[in-house]
Every structure is written in structure tokens, then in C-alpha cells.
Amino acid sequence: MDFFNAIVAFSNFVIVPATAYGAQLALGALGVTLIFGILRFSNFAHGETMAFGGMVTILVTWAFQSWGISFGPLPTALLALPFGILGTALLLLATDRAVYRFYRVQRASPAILLIVSMGVMFVMNGLVRFIIGPNEQRFADGERFIISAREFKALTGLREGLAFKTTQGITIVTAVVVVALLFWFLNRTRTGKSMRAFSDNEDLALLSGIDPERVVTVTWIIVAALATVAGVLYGLDKSYKPFVYLQLLLPIFASAVVGGLGSPLGAIGGGFIIAFSEITVTYAFKKVFNYLLPENLEFSSLVQLLSTDYKFAVSFSILVIVLLFKPTGLFQGKQT
Amino acid sequence: MNLKNIALFAVVAVLFVATGVMQSWNVALNIFNMGLISAIMALGVNMQWGYAGLMNIGIVGFVALGGLGAVIVSVEPVGAAWAAGGLRVLLGLAAGAATIVAAIFTWRRMAGHRLRSLAMLALLIVGFVIYRRIFDPAVHAIEAVNPALTGYLGGLNLNILLSWPVGGALAAGAAWIIGKTALGLRSDYLAIATLGIGEIVISILKNEEWLSRGVKNVIGIPRPVPNEIDLQNSASFVERAASIGLDPATASTLTVKIAYSGLFIVVLLILIWATQAALNSPWGRMMRGIRDNETAAEAMGKDVTARHLQIFVLGSAVCGIAGAMMTTLDGQLTPASYQPLRFTFLIWVMVIVGGSGNNWGSVLGGFLIWWLWVQVEPIGLWLINVITLGLADDNALKAHLLASAAHMRLLTMGLVLLLVLRFSPRGLIPEK
């Protein structure tokens, strides 16, 4: 029995939250990696793009809620998501026309584009705070749990409960659907193939008649969708605070680099590697170990490798280790 | 310095004088002092980006390390805490450092692929357990010593001016570690790695209470200048203030601020002299040569990675000095106040707007952007009041806009950066 208790406790505090968090990071890292592959720069405004997408979705959710529209047991935010994506796509396309296109035509260096993205980050940051304010916003509704800890205990008779929040379930399902759609698009459609060609070799792609502006436009729209979905899922699962998204930039970049910048598969792998290490390293294993060990050997300390406040240090350490031993990332990204 | 540059500095001077006349001289001097510190930070970043093309997105971490330097040097040591576990903490840190050195040594010297990895891993795990065994009890003991007032080791009780070079040295050490790992890879990786080191330094300051008191803050750090209250109690000072027509309270705050300005100006002048001399020396030409064409510089026999490491460490040290100066000015270390937007990205705006590669440009950018950062809020409020003049006072939109005026800052900084990058990419005072 104790063995099952240990497994349930471990799933409840590590596996389930890390899977949901990993899915959120993977979606964020996919956006970063797509921009890197096709527009060829590290986009420091990506965290703020997620915050903006989350904000638009929240505003539409509130409107729906005030009109009495709901999605049954699921959060209304899912209904508002397409509108959030639309708003974010419009913002990103406008930003591209007003800001990035000028540097693209000049073939500016990635470093200059990175600094430009800092400017965009400031503007978006101000925009989000100007519209929705800097405070925490709640917009989750519907059922809270798929299985609550109490139901699980009653069902199995174990001492440990396994809670599975609706938001965690939605995060995982949505991420799977979005990633499947993205890979179908990149591998099966003509536009997707031209995007990959453009990412692999820009000159060759141009030579074979691919319209670069079209590729860039489609990229921004996909990035808007990915960022909005990631931003909304993170906001639903934890809570929506605009400043958090700037802090998410580090784990997201770490995921993208660990997987290999420019590689979509790598971004997903990287997201889960970072999420699982962050949560495993900062989880106090006392409970799990004490179920497994005989009574006279029990731990009295927390058996926690690092305090939770150091979760940034985990993404950073993994980033440094990968940079030291395999600079192109675990899934072989771009080198230039 | 040609006529245009002198005119630019004159414009900034007018901004400060206007602030003094229209708001108050105390406000103007406050902005001026932080402007001096900002100018020094911008000089440091300009060395990295302007001379060598290295992107440092973790300035906030180096600034915070400088602030830690101020605490370690100047605060009085807490004897009870040292007795409780001071040496043990140092021993724990030494054990941790020895583990890492041993792991690196094993990796470099041992043959055999799998065996080497296993040996290194085993070494790291054993080392980590030993480190935690020594370190944790000591930390608990130190943090238990009068936690409401101390709960940390304190400092060395030396003159706070000494902390400025010490803060620079701390930042330089961190920069060396990060430079060793991330330099020589593609340029974005350094940016992302520094973003990480910035976050980590801040979380260390927030959580290692035995070292920095964490979010409980260290207050009452000794000052290099007299206290306002002592000046007000000194009869001769009050007399002199009265003779130029000032009340003692205003005169004392102004005197203290001017004293700080004097100290900071000395540092700024030394740094400008040093950076200008370096930039115009063969070393500076080599740096710019490496920046403009790494392959050619390498072909000429220059060790590009070593030179990059050198300038990265130097630039970070300058940021650390500025950080120690800022903590000296504030008289307190508040780890929660180190926001990347304020201490990393804003400094970048200063460097780019001033003109990357030009030291005078960085100084100008530091003053101008810091002035703007402070003044955009009242200006924004005024602007919104004017725009919404036609709306009734109880209008929801007007209320929302007025409440959000504070966020005009970020928007304005972003617009300034984007406009300068677009229409004057070389900045106000371009590199020659």
C-alpha cells in the first residue's frame, strides 16, 4: 500500500503539475524557435506577446461572462481564445509592418533585431499595463477539478490523494491538439513546407520562388496563436499577472536553446526537460521516501535539493550544461 | 567634443535646471545623482556592446552584486551570528567550490568516455551532500540570531567608499564565470545566459538571508557624507544657511545631496578618462577591429575569446561599481527592488539612445533617459488630463486613463528606443 501511496504522492506533486507546466513552456518555446528559424533573431518580446494574448482573451471572457455565455464545465476562456489569437495576430502583424520589416529589408544583424525586440517588449509591456493594469486578474470558471484529492481517496482507499485540475487537463489536451496541428501544417501543407525551406536556406527558398513576405506573415500569425494559447493556459492554471510573463522568458528561452534553437521538436522536448527538472529539483521528497523506507530509516529533513525560490537556477544550470557540452542543443538546432 | 555634442549636453543641463526651478532643487539633485549612477552603468554596458559587440542582458545582476558589496564591506559584523556559524558557512561554501573544481579537473584529466562521466557525476553528488551537511545547519544557526534585527552575518565595518571597488570585483567574478561558459558561442547565447545569471543573483539576494537578510532588507547602511539631522543641529551650519537665505532643513538636504554628487562626479570623471584612454589606445582599436570583423582579427593572431572575456569582465565590473554607489546613495539594500526592466533594459535604452561605441554618448544617454524616466509620469498625467478635458470627471474611461498614467513610462521608453533605432541608429553622439 505504501508503495502506491508513494507513487500517488509523486504523481500529485511532480508528474501532473510538471506535465502541465511543460506543455505551457513547450508552447512558448515553439513560438520563440519559429521566430528564430524564420526571422532569425531571439525575440525578447515573446513573454509580453503571451501577456497581451492573455489580456485580450480575458477581456473577451469577461464580456462573454457578462452576457451569460458559458462553456458548461469548461472555462469560458476557451471560447474567447480565438478572439485573443485574432487580436494578438493583428498586433504582431502591425508590429512587423511598423518595426521589423524595415530591418528585414536592410538584412540587419540578429543582435540589432534583438535590441529592436527589447523596444517592442517595452511598448507591449506598457500597453498591457495601460489596458488591464499590473494586478492579478481572475477569469477561470467552470468545474475546478476533474478528480479532486478527496474523491480520489474515497475511490481508491489510499491515504494520499491525486488531484487533477480541469486547467491541467485542458492544458495538456490543448497543447497536444495545437502541436499536432502545427506539425501537420509544417509537414503537409504547401505553405508549411515553404516555411521550412525558408528556415533551412533562405537564398535557395527565394530562388525557388517562395514569397518571403507571405512566409513571414504566416509565421507571425502562427506565433500569435502559440503565444496566446500558452499565455491563456498559464494564466488559467496559475493566475494571470502581467509581470510573470517577463520572468517566464528565461525558462522559455532555456527550453528553446536546450532543445536546439530553430527546431520545433526540440522546443517541445526542451520544454518538458526544463519543467520536469524545475519541479523535481525543488520538490521536497520527504513524503515519498518515507512511504518507501522502513520506519526506523525515515527522513526527518525535507529532502529537497533546492528551495523553490531557485527554480530559475534550475533552468539556468541546464542551459549552461547544454551550452558547455552540446551548444547546438539536444535536438540539433540551427548553428548560424 | 564638437559644437553639436556640447549643445546636446547643454540641452540636458537645461532640463535639470528647469526641473530645479519649476519643481524643486531637491528633486533635480535626486534625478542628477541617479543620472550620474546611470551614466556609469551605461559606460559599463557601452564597453561590452559598443567596443566589443557583446550583449549583456543581466545588468541587473551585476548591479545587485555591487549592492551586496556595499553591505559586506560597510555594515557592522554581527558577532553572535559569526559565533553561531560564520566559519562553518565559509567552510560549506569552500566545500561546494572544491566539489566543482574537482569535477572540472576530473572531466579534463580522466580518459574514457563513460567512466569519466560517471566519475564526475558521483563526485558532484557526494560533494553536494557534504556541502549541504556542512552548510544547512550553519545557515539555520545564523538566521536564528535575533531574526527581527539581524539574522545575518553583517559586514566588515570598513569605510563604505571601499565597497565601490569591492562591488566591482564581485561583479567581475560573476562575469568571469558566465563569460567562461557562454563566450565563444553564438552571440544570442551570451544574451540568454546573462539573462539567467541576472535572475539567479537576484534570487540569491532574496533568499540567502544569512548573507543579505533577503527580503527583510538591510537598512541604515553607513554613509560617506554627514547626516541631515547632524547638520541641522550644528549652529555654524544653520548660521551659514541663514546667511544665504535658506531654512536649515532644505539647506541640509541640499548639502547632503551635493556631497553625494561630488563623490559620484569624481568616479564618473575617472571612468570617462580611463575608458576614453582605453578606447583610443591600440587595445581599443583592436577591440573595435574584433567587433567589426572577427575572422580578420583572428587571422591577425588576436585571441578573440580571451579579449571578449576581458572586456566582458571589465564592463560588468563598472556596472558593479555603479551598483555599490547606488546602494550607498539609498542607504539600504532592498533585493526586491531589482527589476530587470529598470536595471537591464533601461540601461540598454540609455546606451543605444546616447550612441553605442561612444563614451560621451553613454553619459549623455544616462542623464537624458533617466530624467525622462522620472519625468514621463507627471508629463503623462498632464497629457491625459488635457486629452480627456472634454470628458466628465466621473467618466469611467477618464478614470481608467488617469489611473494608468504611470504606465506611460514603459510605453515611452519603448517608443524612444524604437524611434532612435529606426531614424538615428548610431545614437545622439555617434561613434567616430
Side-chain angles (χ1 to χ4, degrees):
Chain A
M1 238 7 177
D2 274 354
F3 177 69
F4 288 110
N5 272 325
I7 290 182
V8 169
F10 187 67
S11 312
N12 189 31
F13 292 107
V14 177
I15 296 180
V16 172
T19 310
Y21 181 42
Q24 291 149 8
L25 283 187
L27 289 172
L30 272 173
V32 165
T33 235
L34 274 183
I35 295 181
F36 187 86
I38 288 165
L39 293 141
R40 299 192 157 73
F41 70 98
S42 306
N43 182 14
F44 271 66
H46 197 72
E48 299 311 318
T49 312
M50 286 164 63
F52 186 87
M55 178 192 75
V56 179
T57 311
I58 288 174
L59 293 178
V60 177
T61 308
W62 285 344
F64 281 171
Q65 284 168 344
S66 68
W67 298 333
I69 301 174
S70 83
F71 202 8
L74 297 173
T76 317
L78 286 184
L79 286 179
L81 199 54
F83 298 93
I85 294 175
L86 188 69
T88 314
L90 289 176
L91 176 81
L92 288 186
L93 289 176
T95 314
D96 185 68
R97 290 289 170 276
V99 183
Y100 293 121
R101 183 152 73 172
F102 173 77
Y103 301 96
R104 196 158 60 240
V105 173
Q106 284 194 329
R107 292 209 164 210
S109 74
I112 296 293
L113 277 162
L114 199 160
I115 301 175
V116 171
S117 80
M118 279 190 213
V120 173
M121 180 195 77
F122 262 115
V123 173
M124 285 187 180
N125 207 304
L127 214 57
V128 169
R129 281 161 179 70
F130 208 82
I131 297 175
I132 206 166
N135 302 322
E136 183 175 348
Q137 308 291 347
R138 302 204 158 273
F139 64 109
D141 52 8
E143 287 289 329
R144 280 205 62 202
F145 288 103
I146 296 175
I147 319 169
S148 77
R150 192 185 307 164
E151 283 167 8
F152 185 87
K153 282 184 212 168
L155 213 65
T156 56
L158 289 171
R159 263 171 61 202
E160 282 299 317
L162 177 68
F164 196 50
K165 286 197 286 182
T166 317
T167 52
Q168 290 168 332
I170 289 173
T171 299
I172 295 164
V173 172
T174 316
V176 169
V177 171
V178 168
V179 168
L181 275 176
L182 178 68
F183 276 78
W184 171 79
F185 176 81
L186 287 178
N187 292 326
R188 299 289 155 146
T189 63
R190 222 184 137 68
T191 319
K193 283 180 188 166
S194 62
M195 275 173 67
R196 285 195 301 145
F198 192 84
S199 163
D200 284 343
N201 189 329
E202 191 177 340
D203 292 329
L204 225 54
L206 292 178
L207 211 62
S208 55
I210 290 172
D211 176 9
E213 285 306 307
R214 193 178 128 82
V215 167
V216 168
T217 307
V218 174
T219 307
W220 280 120
I221 294 173
I222 295 175
V223 167
L226 288 168
T228 308
V229 172
V232 170
L233 291 178
Y234 189 84
L236 273 178
D237 193 21
K238 313 275 187 335
S239 71
Y240 181 85
K241 286 177 246 165
F243 75 89
V244 168
Y245 291 92
L246 185 61
Q247 296 178 340
L248 270 183
L249 208 54
L250 177 64
I252 284 177
F253 267 116
S255 307
V257 173
V258 165
L261 266 176
S263 146
L265 204 63
I268 298 170
F272 283 101
I273 290 174
I274 296 285
F276 270 85
S277 352
E278 235 180 55
I279 295 186
T280 315
V281 171
T282 54
Y283 174 63
F285 278 94
K286 180 183 176 187
K287 205 180 210 175
V288 173
F289 284 163
N290 284 354
Y291 275 122
L292 295 176
L293 293 170
E295 245 166 59
N296 51 357
L297 276 175
E298 284 192 351
F299 281 99
S300 55
S301 69
L302 286 170
V303 205
Q304 187 182 20
L305 286 172
L306 270 181
S307 100
T308 32
D309 305 299
Y310 284 124
K311 54 179 198 233
F312 293 121
V314 179
S315 7
F316 178 75
S317 315
I318 295 173
L319 178 74
V320 166
I321 292 168
V322 170
L323 285 184
L324 280 176
F325 294 103
K326 213 164 183 316
T328 48
L330 300 176
F331 294 77
Q332 212 60 270
K334 291 174 89 64
Q335 278 179 318
T336 45
Chain B
M1 288 292 253
N2 57 24
L3 218 59
K4 181 195 149 211
N5 298 349
I6 294 170
L8 282 169
F9 272 99
V11 167
V12 173
V14 168
L15 288 178
F16 280 91
V17 172
T19 310
V21 173
M22 290 168 69
Q23 287 174 294
S24 86
W25 287 102
N26 260 319
V27 172
L29 277 173
N30 262 340
I31 305 177
F32 181 69
N33 281 344
M34 269 313 288
L36 283 165
I37 291 173
S38 303
I40 293 175
M41 290 179 191
L43 273 178
V45 176
N46 184 43
M47 290 169 79
Q48 296 172 339
W49 167 245
Y51 295 12
L54 301 175
M55 306 210 72
N56 178 357
I57 316 285
I59 306 162
V60 61
F62 300 108
V63 170
L65 275 176
L68 180 66
V71 169
I72 291 178
V73 167
S74 71
V75 175
E76 275 184 35
V78 182
W82 273 101
L87 292 176
R88 189 164 179 171
V89 154
L90 296 183
L91 189 70
L93 289 178
T99 307
I100 293 173
V101 171
I104 294 173
F105 196 72
T106 317
W107 183 258
R108 289 216 177 129
R109 290 296 166 87
M110 249 177 92
H113 203 73
R114 188 146 305 165
L115 197 67
R116 181 171 74 160
S117 306
L118 280 176
M120 192 177 77
L121 204 64
L123 203 83
L124 283 175
I125 292 172
V126 172
F128 185 75
V129 171
I130 295 174
Y131 155 76
R132 289 287 297 261
R133 276 288 160 98
I134 305 176
F135 189 69
D136 286 4
V139 167
H140 280 295
I142 292 171
E143 287 173 4
V145 177
N146 195 359
L149 284 176
T150 56
Y152 75 132
L153 285 176
L156 300 169
N157 202 14
L158 299 170
N159 190 319
I160 185 138
L161 293 181
L162 200 66
S163 77
W164 299 0
V166 170
L170 281 177
W176 185 81
I177 294 173
I178 196 69
K180 264 291 190 197
T181 46
L183 283 171
L185 300 170
R186 41 163 300 129
S187 61
D188 303 43
Y189 284 177
L190 179 69
I192 296 166
T194 47
L195 181 75
I197 198 80
E199 294 283 0
I200 288 178
V201 170
I202 303 305
S203 46
I204 288 177
L205 285 200
K206 277 186 191 162
N207 295 300
E208 297 303 313
E209 291 189 2
W210 61 272
L211 181 67
S212 64
R213 283 200 91 213
V215 287
K216 293 191 288 186
N217 304 338
V218 180
I219 52 169
I221 294 174
R223 307 167 64 161
V225 298
N227 273 317
E228 284 90 346
I229 197 76
D230 295 336
L231 288 177
Q232 287 167 30
N233 289 337
S234 132
S236 63
F237 179 81
V238 173
E239 203 173 294
R240 252 181 298 151
S243 71
I244 50 172
L246 285 171
D247 64 288
T250 317
S252 64
T253 49
L254 286 178
T255 312
V256 168
K257 290 197 173 85
I258 291 171
Y260 273 120
S261 308
L263 287 171
F264 294 165
I265 288 173
V266 171
V267 177
L268 182 63
L269 287 179
I270 294 174
L271 282 174
I272 288 184
W273 171 79
T275 48
Q276 279 297 85
L279 191 61
N280 295 323
S281 69
W283 180 83
R285 281 193 289 281
M286 173 186 67
M287 280 300 173
R288 280 172 290 164
I290 291 176
R291 177 195 65 191
D292 294 337
N293 193 337
E294 274 188 30
T295 322
E298 227 156 26
M300 299 289 289
K302 305 296 177 200
D303 186 346
V304 171
T305 312
R307 293 286 80 75
H308 275 172
L309 183 63
Q310 187 182 26
I311 195 122
F312 185 66
V313 168
L314 284 175
S316 302
V318 172
C319 291
I321 294 173
M325 289 164 62
M326 194 182 72
T327 305
T328 311
L329 176 68
D330 292 343
Q332 56 182 356
L333 181 71
T334 47
S337 68
Y338 289 99
Q339 300 290 337
L341 273 178
R342 156 73 183 86
F343 287 104
T344 296
F345 296 109
L346 192 65
I347 309 298
W348 269 94
V349 178
M350 292 169 183
V351 174
I352 301 290
V353 169
S356 38
N358 190 311
N359 294 320
W360 290 107
S362 299
V363 174
L364 180 81
F367 281 114
L368 180 64
I369 295 298
W370 180 250
W371 184 87
L372 202 61
W373 176 258
V374 177
Q375 298 291 5
V376 156
E377 215 174 307
I379 295 173
L381 200 62
W382 173 82
L383 200 68
I384 287 175
N385 266 319
V386 170
I387 292 172
T388 57
L389 214 56
L391 298 172
D393 273 345
D394 55 348
N395 187 301
L397 180 68
K398 181 171 184 174
H400 178 84
L401 283 178
L402 283 177
S404 312
H407 307 302
M408 289 281 281
R409 249 183 195 179
L410 300 166
L411 211 66
T412 316
M413 288 306 142
L415 284 177
V416 167
L417 179 61
L418 289 176
L419 288 174
V420 167
L421 276 172
R422 174 71 188 264
F423 296 107
S424 169
R426 301 181 63 213
L428 291 175
I429 307 183
E431 187 184 359
K432 271 182 228 108

